[in-house]
Amino acid sequence: MGKPTIKSESSKLQTVLNKFDLTGQTALITGAAGLLGREHAAALLEVGATVVLTDVSEVSLNTAKSLLSVLAPLDRIVTRVMDVSQPASVNAVAEQMVSEGRHIRILVNNAAIDPKVVGGLGIQESSRLENFALDQWNLQISVGLTGAFLCSQVFGTAMAQSGGGVILNIASDLSVFSPDQRIYRKAGVTEDQQPVKPVTYSVIKAGLVGLTKYLSTYWADRGVRTNALSPGGVFNGQGDEFVKRLSALIPLGRMAQVDEYRSAVQFLCSDASSYLNGQNIVMDGGRSTW
């Protein structure tokens, strides 16, 4: 047998790269007007997909569409106002997609309420477990976890009935370990007033991994793959002290840049990951290994 030629090896490489190509595929992204939602959309636009951006604010969606228009023609960027916590809203968008001849083959469950840890305001610290309000628990879980369930139920069912697809749940490194509350501490604040990452965040992100595993077996025989991506902290202008504390917990010594998850989204949503199912890909700079 002769040695492989440069041409044959190049052909094999091109075949592998072609598996990332999503030309002709339509992806729906929830919470798409947010920081990472826009990045997930950018990732899929880069490899040829048409994206349906959904969020609760039409103004924010229009801003996101304008920002993304440098990557693709406007006819590949569709916006729809959708509240993932409301079945009627999710079903209405699904019906619109059908009426427009759009078949959702990729669902990115990204919508979440991520309350920022502020604290130190001299009032009852509401992020602490002792004080955490039930209405906030219900609201945050309804968006971050129930919303993923409802969208998977509606759009996943359609995928299963029409040849398959991909569901990607955006979890967090806090799906696999507990928040280190020390990084949020404020100087000169009593213990009972120290801010913390609230309980809902960890519960929701761990729940998304559980949902991922359940869905990965439920529709596997119908060609629907489900995986989770668990990003670590993304730098977005946080204070120097917080960045220093968090970076010290990460082997790479820094927070992620906002665009560093694009290639992972492309991999997980395309045939490049065709044998990956039911997994939680933790992409945290190595933090979870310490």
Side-chain angles (χ1 to χ4, degrees):
M1 180 181 295
K3 294 182 179 180
T5 65
I6 292 177
K7 183 177 180 180
S8 66
E9 289 300 308
S10 176
S11 177
K12 290 178 183 178
L13 178 61
Q14 187 61 41
T15 300
V16 172
L17 292 177
N18 285 345
K19 292 185 177 182
F20 285 88
D21 186 6
L22 292 175
T23 301
Q25 301 291 308
T26 301
L28 186 142
I29 304 166
T30 69
L35 182 70
L36 283 185
R38 296 195 302 269
E39 289 297 320
H40 304 330
L44 298 177
L45 286 169
E46 284 178 351
V47 289
T50 293
V51 298
V52 180
L53 312 178
T54 71
D55 216 310
V56 292
S57 167
E58 185 172 8
V59 172
S60 297
L61 283 170
N62 288 337
T63 299
K65 182 172 183 175
S66 177
L67 291 170
L68 292 165
S69 64
V70 300
L71 297 176
L74 288 177
D75 62 359
R76 283 178 46 211
I77 308 172
V78 180
T79 62
R80 290 290 182 275
V81 173
M82 184 174 81
D83 183 344
V84 297
S85 70
Q86 299 300 316
S89 182
V90 176
N91 279 305
V93 171
E95 290 169 5
Q96 289 174 12
M97 295 296 101
V98 172
S99 68
E100 295 169 6
R102 302 184 190 277
H103 301 284
I104 304 302
R105 295 299 183 193
I106 300 163
L107 169 65
V108 181
N109 283 316
N110 173 73
I113 296 175
D114 183 11
K116 302 306 175 186
V117 180
V118 181
L121 301 177
I123 58 177
Q124 183 185 57
E125 180 46 62
S126 60
S127 66
R128 297 191 67 84
L129 184 64
E130 301 90 334
N131 308 324
F132 200 75
L134 180 59
D135 62 347
Q136 283 302 303
W137 169 276
N138 289 335
L139 172 63
Q140 292 174 31
I141 287 184
S142 72
V143 174
L145 188 54
T146 304
F149 156 70
L150 290 173
C151 289
S152 298
Q153 184 181 53
V154 172
F155 296 106
T157 295
M159 291 179 198
Q161 293 174 345
S162 59
V166 173
I167 298 173
L168 176 60
N169 294 321
I170 305 300
S172 164
D173 55 358
L174 295 185
S175 70
V176 297
F177 55 76
S178 181
D180 187 337
Q181 306 292 10
R182 295 172 297 180
I183 67 177
Y184 306 110
R185 291 184 66 84
K186 302 288 184 180
V189 177
T190 60
E191 284 300 317
D192 64 343
Q193 293 294 311
Q194 287 290 347
V196 296
K197 194 73 171 179
V199 60
T200 42
Y201 196 82
S202 291
V203 170
I204 289 165
K205 297 308 185 180
L208 285 173
V209 175
L211 178 64
T212 296
K213 292 181 181 298
Y214 183 91
L215 294 176
S216 70
T217 62
Y218 194 78
W219 285 315
D221 62 340
R222 308 289 291 276
V224 179
R225 295 187 299 111
T226 307
N227 290 292
L229 175 63
S230 284
V234 176
F235 179 73
N236 188 31
Q238 295 92 335
D240 291 344
E241 184 60 28
F242 173 82
V243 173
K244 179 180 178 181
R245 290 175 180 176
L246 180 53
S247 297
L249 301 175
I250 301 170
L252 288 183
R254 64 176 178 83
M255 298 177 70
Q257 296 300 309
V258 69
D259 62 351
E260 288 191 286
Y261 298 108
R262 286 193 191 184
S263 57
V265 170
Q266 292 166 348
F267 172 70
L268 291 166
C269 291
S270 70
D271 283 345
S273 62
S274 58
Y275 199 57
L276 191 69
N277 189 34
Q279 302 305 306
N280 179 27
I281 306 303
V282 182
M283 198 170 174
D284 63 354
R287 181 181 175 188
S288 54
T289 62
W290 271 354

